[in-house]
Amino acid sequence: MKKNRASLYVRLSRQASDTNLSLDGMTDDLREVCRREGLTEVSLHVDDGLSGGFRDRPAFAEWIADARTGRANVLLTWHVDRLTREGLNVAAQLLDVVEGKDHTSGRLISRPVRLLDVKGLDSDHGEAFRLRFVLQAEIARAERERMRERSKAAHRRLAQAGRYRGGFTPYGYKAVPAPDGKGQTLAIEPREAEAIRECVDRMLSGHTLGRVSRWLNDQGYAPRRAQEWSRRGLLHVLTGDAILGRVSRGGKPVRDAEGAILAPFPAIITEAESVALKAACNPAGGRKTPMGRQPSRLLSGLLTCFSCGATLTVVRRNGRTAAYRCMSSGMGKTCEAAVSVGAQIIEDHVTARYLAAVGRMPMMREHVITEGVNELAAVDAEIADVMAQVATRATPALFERLTALQAKREDLDGKAPEQRVEIVDTGRTVAQWWEDAHIDDRRDALAEAFSLLQVSPGKPGSRIFDPARLRMEWSS
């Protein structure tokens, strides 16, 4: 077997420090080394746009496999920082590959290979190579940490200046030119913000995520990254930091040098509403409300049987139109005269009776007002202030104060925000609201309006609904 079979590897990330590099330029440099050393290129592996801080890069794994399987006996790369930015962790594994050892047992499992880079690194140089290789790997790791810190600092500076970094725009906002003409900032998108506030009201009124998602889809509010709303997508929007005007990085809110959370953009909801909303959405488990399955029909669960009092079930058999039917006998219960009625005809009748009675009335709605987290916000601000002082002069008194504040915050964090319900006029009549209301909301309105909707048997063979069959009792 020839000993000059070389496997080439190049990597280019999206970091600012890589802007002076190119994949083609690095590849040309590697092939120049091949010509100078008399090596034959057997493969070229490229990781484009992947960070050196992670070792599960596909091309990197294939490059290592070339050495393990004997396809190549020379591993050639542009520089150590193209291989890894994890320092000693990965450097040790790469040394095992060069020496043909198993990284867990240290036993020889393959032939040793030669490792080269275009900067003069060569595993044939013995101990000098090992020291230089490990040192360069640690330098690459430290440089990555500095890049991350610079990126965080730049992120904070942009947030403090009210700048928008670009990328995916949060739902409820739109990117607009900054007032001073430098870059962009975020402004509220009126229609989407209106949808978010309506969702908050509905969630705080006891609606489920599934039901609110159906309402959004029914009203034509389109999400940004999907064809329609789902519970998961809605949960992400309602429990995220974006609708509070905050900036997040890695799923956590960005803070200033003193530890305070940055909120450079206008908020769509209040902090109190956010706390109550997260409890209502209950994303961590322990669900207290049902998933919110859509009712089959407008009167699902509202109609009862005159004979046995059971709730009528929606059935559709043999291609016939849907009907509400008493299913007691099929469930082993006694019903002297089980009833059945066409679904559409009785729904139209109940709707007409309802709108005739209340259609001209003003449509009122409940608006949940959430309060009681102002003290929590004040404690958070005081904790941030104490931590800033600890960073400059750590005294026992400051640590004692910090401990007391953290205990107070835990106590406040466990208390639910105060809520009160306010009845507001929508500016529409009940009939106007009914025209475009979702089936869930219409059903709720009927459930609130009627305390009893009881159906009695009809005449055999009759296809005309007799209003006398329906006993209706209005709620007080």
Side-chain angles (χ1 to χ4, degrees):
M1 298 291 290
K2 294 182 180 180
K3 296 184 178 181
N4 60 351
R5 292 167 289 111
S7 177
L8 283 55
Y9 175 77
V10 292
R11 179 187 65 82
L12 186 66
S13 71
R14 300 305 182 196
Q15 298 294 336
S17 64
D18 289 342
T19 54
N20 60 335
L21 301 177
S22 71
L23 292 174
D24 290 340
M26 287 189 288
T27 303
D28 290 343
D29 290 344
L30 293 179
R31 286 172 175 160
E32 175 59 30
V33 174
C34 286
R35 286 191 291 270
R36 187 174 67 244
E37 295 286 332
L39 305 176
T40 301
E41 177 185 335
V42 296
S43 58
L44 171 65
H45 303 286
V46 179
D47 277 321
D48 188 8
L50 299 181
S51 170
F54 302 97
R55 64 193 75 170
D56 57 350
R57 290 163 275 143
F60 179 69
E62 293 169 1
W63 184 65
I64 296 297
D66 283 350
R68 290 299 196 190
T69 60
R71 184 185 184 190
N73 47 38
V74 178
L75 295 178
L76 181 58
T77 188
W78 195 80
H79 189 265
V80 174
D81 63 10
R82 299 301 92 194
L83 301 181
T84 179
R85 289 190 181 272
E86 289 188 83
L88 289 172
N89 306 55
V90 177
Q93 295 184 14
L94 288 171
L95 287 174
D96 283 337
V97 173
V98 171
E99 296 173 1
K101 294 180 179 179
D102 179 78
H103 71 278
T104 55
S105 65
R107 297 176 183 274
L108 288 174
I109 58 173
S110 62
R111 291 180 179 275
V113 296
R114 183 185 180 191
L115 176 62
L116 291 170
D117 75 4
V118 300
K119 304 297 183 179
L121 186 73
D122 189 343
S123 60
D124 283 351
H125 294 168
E127 291 298 325
F129 156 75
R130 294 176 65 91
L131 292 174
R132 183 178 173 185
F133 180 71
V134 171
L135 181 61
Q136 289 183 353
E138 274 298 298
I139 291 174
R141 182 198 61 78
E143 184 180 357
R144 176 172 180 257
E145 292 300 317
R146 286 194 297 272
M147 287 190 293
R148 293 175 63 181
E149 289 302 319
R150 287 197 298 267
S151 178
K152 289 180 181 179
H155 202 86
R156 284 195 297 268
R157 287 195 299 271
L158 287 172
Q160 287 174 323
R163 297 286 188 273
Y164 173 54
R165 298 180 69 245
F168 176 71
T169 306
Y171 190 83
Y173 292 90
K174 58 183 178 181
V176 298
D180 59 4
K182 298 178 181 179
Q184 290 185 314
T185 187
L186 291 183
I188 289 178
E189 204 290 318
R191 187 170 186 272
E192 293 181 352
E194 178 188 9
I196 289 175
R197 294 189 184 102
E198 178 67 21
C199 289
V200 173
D201 268 357
R202 288 172 177 265
M203 291 298 302
L204 296 185
S205 297
H207 293 192
T208 62
L209 284 166
R211 174 169 172 173
V212 178
S213 299
R214 292 195 298 271
W215 174 83
L216 284 168
N217 293 327
D218 181 71
Q219 297 298 311
Y221 292 104
R224 296 281 176 83
R225 290 183 170 179
Q227 293 184 346
E228 62 179 15
W229 287 96
S230 63
R231 287 193 296 266
R232 182 183 296 274
L234 179 59
L235 179 66
H236 177 75
V237 170
L238 296 184
T239 59
D241 289 316
I243 58 176
L244 289 167
R246 295 173 178 174
V247 180
S248 296
R249 182 180 177 85
K252 297 180 180 180
V254 175
R255 298 176 180 268
D256 61 19
E258 297 180 351
I261 295 176
L262 292 174
F265 309 121
I268 296 177
I269 66 174
T270 66
E271 187 174 351
E273 288 173 329
S274 177
V275 173
L277 190 58
K278 289 175 181 178
C281 291
N282 197 23
R287 184 179 299 277
K288 298 179 182 179
T289 57
M291 293 294 287
R293 185 179 64 181
Q294 182 172 1
S296 176
R297 303 281 305 197
L298 177 64
L299 299 177
S300 294
L302 302 183
L303 298 177
T304 58
C305 175
F306 177 84
S307 177
C308 66
T311 301
L312 301 189
T313 303
V314 178
V315 296
R316 188 188 299 270
R317 294 179 180 173
N318 300 326
R320 298 178 181 177
T321 57
Y324 292 95
R325 183 171 299 171
C326 177
M327 305 298 290
S328 292
S329 58
M331 300 174 65
K333 299 179 181 179
T334 302
C335 183
E336 296 179 1
V339 301
S340 178
V341 61
Q344 192 62 54
I345 193 170
I346 195 170
E347 289 170 359
D348 292 344
H349 176 74
V350 172
T351 298
R353 292 282 301 271
Y354 173 75
L355 293 179
V358 302
R360 295 182 179 180
M361 293 182 179
M363 182 62 194
M364 313 298 287
R365 58 166 293 177
E366 292 183 351
H367 174 59
V368 180
I369 299 175
T370 306
E371 301 170 328
V373 295
N374 292 335
E375 188 178 1
L376 181 62
V379 171
D380 278 338
E382 194 171 355
I383 289 176
D385 178 62
V386 173
M387 290 183 68
Q389 296 181 54
V390 169
T392 56
R393 53 183 185 88
T395 65
L398 285 174
F399 279 112
E400 184 177 351
R401 183 182 173 197
L402 181 61
T403 302
L405 286 170
Q406 289 174 335
K408 184 176 181 180
R409 195 199 185 288
E410 290 179 3
D411 182 56
L412 292 172
D413 199 29
K415 296 180 180 179
E418 298 175 3
Q419 293 183 347
R420 57 186 175 87
V421 178
E422 185 179 85
I423 305 299
V424 297
D425 191 342
T426 64
R428 309 169 72 189
T429 64
V430 173
Q432 291 171 335
W433 167 83
W434 186 272
E435 288 181 4
D436 57 3
H438 190 267
I439 182 176
D440 289 329
D441 298 328
R442 290 180 176 181
R443 183 184 173 282
D444 274 359
L446 295 178
E448 185 177 356
F450 298 106
S451 60
L452 181 67
L453 292 172
Q454 196 173 71
V455 185
S456 59
K459 295 180 180 180
S462 176
R463 297 192 175 186
I464 300 176
F465 178 71
D466 181 4
R469 293 181 60 191
L470 180 64
R471 179 184 173 187
M472 306 175 69
E473 293 184 4
W474 290 84
S475 300
S476 58

